[in-house]
Amino acid sequence: MYLKKHCDCHNRRRNRQPPCWPWHNLIRLSLVASNALVGAFTITTFNILAPVHRSMGHTNRRESEREDWWRPRAEAVASYISKNLASSDVILLQEWWFDDQFSSIFDSITGHLFDRVAERRPGGVLYGKEFSCFAKNDPHRPLREDGMCCLINKNGKLDLVKSEQVLTGPQRIAQIVQCKEKCEDGRDVFLANTHLSFPHDEDSRRNDRRQAFEITLIQRALSKARRRTSRGKTSSSSHPFSSPNSNYFEDETANESLEVICGDFNSEPTGLAASQLEARDFVNCASAISEYMGVTHFTHRGEEISADHIFIRSHRSGSRSGKRSRGMSAVFQLTGSYDGAGDVGKSHAGNPLSSNGSRRQALAIGYQDPLSLGYIDMTGTQVINVRPADIQIRGNGVISDHKPVTATFRWPKLRSVGSSLSEPCMNVSNATMPLDPLSYLCANTGIL
């Protein structure tokens, strides 16, 4: 009786169809759980409110008209950055004022900490006619007094490679910055310093579509910069398991890069612009750790909104779009609570923390979502923290009407040490991985 029962159980296990798990992604996640991580990056976005845009009281006069008006706040902004944001690897500033005195004051306070690169906005009128925002190389085009600025920490983990601008509309730009890790075989990091148009139109749908169009141009420019850099680099070749001795991690990390789009979106995280990025596998850092940023901007209309966001996406040569969605789908196969990639990018009213309804369903029945743990993909990229600074943004004594928002995340760099995937264990950065990654996940990470 016992023997028959034992044989029946054995036959059921033998005949059971295994779930369609992406084993190489599970291997990565189990390695990340073993602390095989590189040091964390910190990125800050901050709209510093250019003096040319700040009205003085109820008059039409601008702060930039008198030095005794703008100088104290300029010194306060620079001092705040040097004291409170000195640990950031990159600081992306919107509404940078292209004034020689302003730049001199700023550099005298922050120059020992940061390298600075800035891009200036084009003007909108040329010879009495509307100026085309796409006339990039016109030497006679007028320039606005403000633009975008990027600060690179001299003691940080990144080196500045180049900066350029992309025109997103009349008198509007985004700054595309390429950086590189300082370590050996450093990977590329591409950042888009973003300032979307203010929703002036009475028709909210037109405002949403305009911002969505602008963010699409920015995302395409960022991807174009990445592709331009990746040309000539060695890309992944065959499937990692095609040979028992294939160097999987070396192949996969040969052409890694990270894309960051952040700045002043002038819209909530549930807006159409944010949804456009989420549909392209960008992840809002606040959503990744289930945090709602709260109010980050006090507008000139007296409105309080959450307008400053940081989106990130990891990229690996040879990978397909939608990798995050398919990877998360695999994780949820056992729970049956994931709907697939179709939900990604849809905004859900009443829940600003999530762009996927199935995620809420999974959490409601007690399952741990990798995204809720900060993982934005199945390769171990993880948001550790994201927070707005606790500063005053309304009243006369403010340094800006925006709060700086800082995100910290880990971007693991997994290296092979020559072990074969056919061996029972593989040591990667002093981490031992079991043969069955599913068992490791169940026992140690609580994801399943």
Side-chain angles (χ1 to χ4, degrees), residues 321-340:
S321 61
K323 177 177 61 178
R324 179 179 70 88
S325 304
R326 288 193 296 274
M328 294 303 176
S329 177
V331 169
F332 282 116
Q333 278 188 15
L334 290 186
T335 71
S337 58
Y338 189 85
D339 299 331

Side-chain angles (χ1 to χ4, degrees), residues 290-329:
S290 299
E291 288 287 341
Y292 181 60
M293 300 302 297
V295 176
T296 65
H297 176 38
F298 183 71
T299 73
H300 62 278
R301 295 175 176 174
E303 302 165 333
E304 294 182 336
I305 63 173
S306 179
D308 303 272
H309 313 299
I310 301 176
F311 287 81
I312 64 175
R313 179 179 73 176
S314 61
H315 182 272
R316 181 166 288 103
S317 177
S319 64
R320 300 176 184 175
S321 61
K323 177 177 61 178
R324 179 179 70 88
S325 304
R326 288 193 296 274
M328 294 303 176
S329 177

